[in-house]
């Protein structure tokens, strides 16, 4: 979409307001400019597709175990931090004041 706006504002608006078809028409008419972003987009879709297939291939027991561990982590994250002190292994820094005599 950024490449389309760099071409003209009209092309940018076409790809913004008509998302799929406007982009296809722009890619077809401006292949040299849009080839690299198009292939990056396809690569991103491939990564998402692989992640979805990976999760779908997990056995149901493992999916249940993953969802339960997420719930436990959420409960841990919701604990108040007021009682906890930060853990540091450094000594406190004291400022040295210079006195002019």
């Amino acid at each position: 979409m950024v490449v389309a706006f760099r071409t003209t504002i009209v092309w940018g608006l076409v790809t913004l307001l008509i998302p799929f078809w406007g982009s296809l028409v722009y890619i077809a008419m401006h292949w040299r400019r849009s080839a690299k972003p198009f292939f990056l987009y396809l690569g991103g879709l491939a990564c998402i597709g692989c992640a979805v297939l990976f999760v779908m291939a997990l056995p149901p027991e493992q999916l249940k175990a993953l969802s339960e561990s997420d719930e436990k982590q959420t409960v841990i994250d919701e604990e108040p931090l007021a009682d906890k002190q930060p853990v540091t292994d450094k000594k406190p820094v004291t400022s040295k004041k210079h006195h002019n005599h």
Side-chain angles (χ1 to χ4, degrees):
M1 187 181 319
V2 173
V3 176
F5 272 105
R6 286 183 182 166
T7 304
T8 64
I9 291 177
V10 173
W11 272 117
L13 290 174
V14 167
T15 60
L16 180 67
L17 298 175
I18 311 169
F20 181 74
W21 295 107
S23 296
L24 282 180
V25 171
Y26 179 81
I27 290 168
M29 295 182 72
H30 299 92
W31 178 248
R32 288 189 179 152
R33 285 185 181 189
S34 60
K36 185 177 179 181
F38 174 71
F39 286 121
L40 286 172
Y41 176 76
L42 286 181
L45 285 179
C47 290
I48 292 170
C50 288
V52 168
L53 289 176
F54 176 75
V55 171
M56 288 174 58
L58 291 174
E61 302 85 29
Q62 195 170 4
L63 284 173
K64 185 177 179 182
L66 285 174
S67 67
E68 288 173 356
S69 68
D70 287 344
E71 290 171 3
K72 290 177 185 175
Q73 184 65 34
T74 303
V75 171
I76 291 171
D77 291 343
E78 292 174 355
E79 290 180 7
L81 297 176
D83 298 336
K84 297 181 181 180
Q85 295 295 324
V87 178
T88 61
D89 57 341
K90 297 180 182 179
K91 294 181 181 178
V93 178
T94 58
S95 62
K96 296 180 181 179
K97 295 183 180 178
H98 296 288
H99 297 287
N100 293 333
H101 294 280

